[in-house]
Amino acid sequence: MTEQPTTPLVDSPVAWPVTATATPFTGKKTSVRSDEVRLPDGSLVHRDYQVHPGSVAVLALDDREHAVVIEQYRHPVRHRLWEIPAGLLDVPGENPLHAAQRELYEEAHVKAEDWRVLADIYTSPGGSDEAVRIFLARELSAAEGERFEVSDEEADMRHARVPVAELARGVLAGELHNSCLVAGVLAYQAAVAGAGLAALRPAESPWPARPFPS
């Protein structure tokens, strides 16, 4: 039987007991954890998942509502994906706004004066604990100094500025697949159509998934 909620839907934190755990793989930035979890009925199941430091992403819009995007090769999916600037939190407890400003500079050589939170997402909660905070950045200008030196896949990146409406069309047409781009673009359109951008959360809003000092 389907229940009709009487209050707005809100995700709730809860932790089922872990009776045993192991880390069979540890990589440079992430690891794999294997937990034995006790379900509410008392039975035990095993769950393997990626342990991730967390990420930030930036939907950076200029005064024409063109978004800064980059094309990057992603080996696990064997695709070049158009994405918005994004990157890992470098250290536990890192301020996500500072991380987002760094990534926008490093990947696009751009800075922004106006920052707000668009959305907080778990990218794949069935198999990873990765949490991403997606920011909206506006009032763009070129960053000062030399461009950040890139390597590996980043050395092959292409850059573009594309109308955000065109990105939304590409998402709905199944042509653009990067999770941060999809969530950021659709959240932006929802904000514009709803309460407006002024109603978005401030850039320094708490982030329970990856707490940081205020």
Side-chain angles (χ1 to χ4, degrees):
M1 179 178 178
T2 302
E3 296 182 6
Q4 184 66 31
T6 58
T7 58
L9 298 182
V10 178
D11 294 337
S12 55
V14 63
W16 290 351
V18 175
T19 59
T21 188
T23 305
F25 171 79
T26 299
K28 184 178 179 181
K29 294 289 187 179
T30 67
S31 60
V32 173
R33 183 172 297 163
S34 182
D35 288 345
E36 183 181 72
V37 182
R38 188 178 301 279
L39 304 186
D41 65 3
S43 61
L44 296 175
V45 296
H46 284 86
R47 293 291 179 263
D48 301 327
Y49 57 99
Q50 180 193 39
V51 178
H52 194 285
S55 306
V56 292
V58 187
L59 181 66
L61 297 183
D62 62 23
D63 55 7
R64 300 179 299 160
E65 285 204 322
H66 284 52
V68 174
V69 292
I70 57 178
E71 186 192 44
Q72 187 170 353
Y73 175 67
R74 295 300 189 181
H75 184 70
V77 295
R78 309 303 199 270
H79 270 71
R80 289 180 181 270
L81 299 180
W82 283 102
E83 308 177 353
I84 57 177
L88 301 176
L89 298 175
D90 278 352
V91 295
E94 182 178 13
N95 186 303
L97 174 60
H98 298 169
Q101 291 169 333
R102 178 186 67 239
E103 294 301 327
L104 185 61
Y105 159 71
E106 290 183 357
E107 295 196 344
H109 201 63
V110 168
K111 64 180 181 179
E113 298 301 321
D114 184 76
W115 290 82
R116 295 179 183 272
V117 176
L118 265 180
D120 296 328
I121 65 173
Y122 290 115
T123 56
S124 183
S128 173
D129 71 350
E130 181 183 12
V132 182
R133 169 156 281 188
I134 305 175
F135 290 90
L136 172 66
R138 296 181 295 166
E139 299 179 22
L140 307 185
S141 60
E144 291 137 8
E146 296 183 4
R147 280 189 171 272
F148 181 78
E149 186 175 348
V150 296
S151 60
D152 301 325
E153 291 94 343
E154 291 184 351
D156 195 41
M157 288 193 306
R158 289 200 298 161
H159 297 75
R161 293 201 183 189
V162 180
V164 69
E166 178 62 17
L167 294 178
R169 185 209 62 77
V171 169
L172 298 180
E175 298 167 355
L176 299 172
H177 307 89
N178 174 262
S179 60
C180 293
L181 183 149
V182 170
V185 166
L186 298 186
Y188 174 78
Q189 290 209 317
V192 170
L197 300 181
L200 292 173
R201 287 173 290 160
E204 296 275 10
S205 295
W207 188 17
R210 294 294 184 272
F212 60 96
S214 59

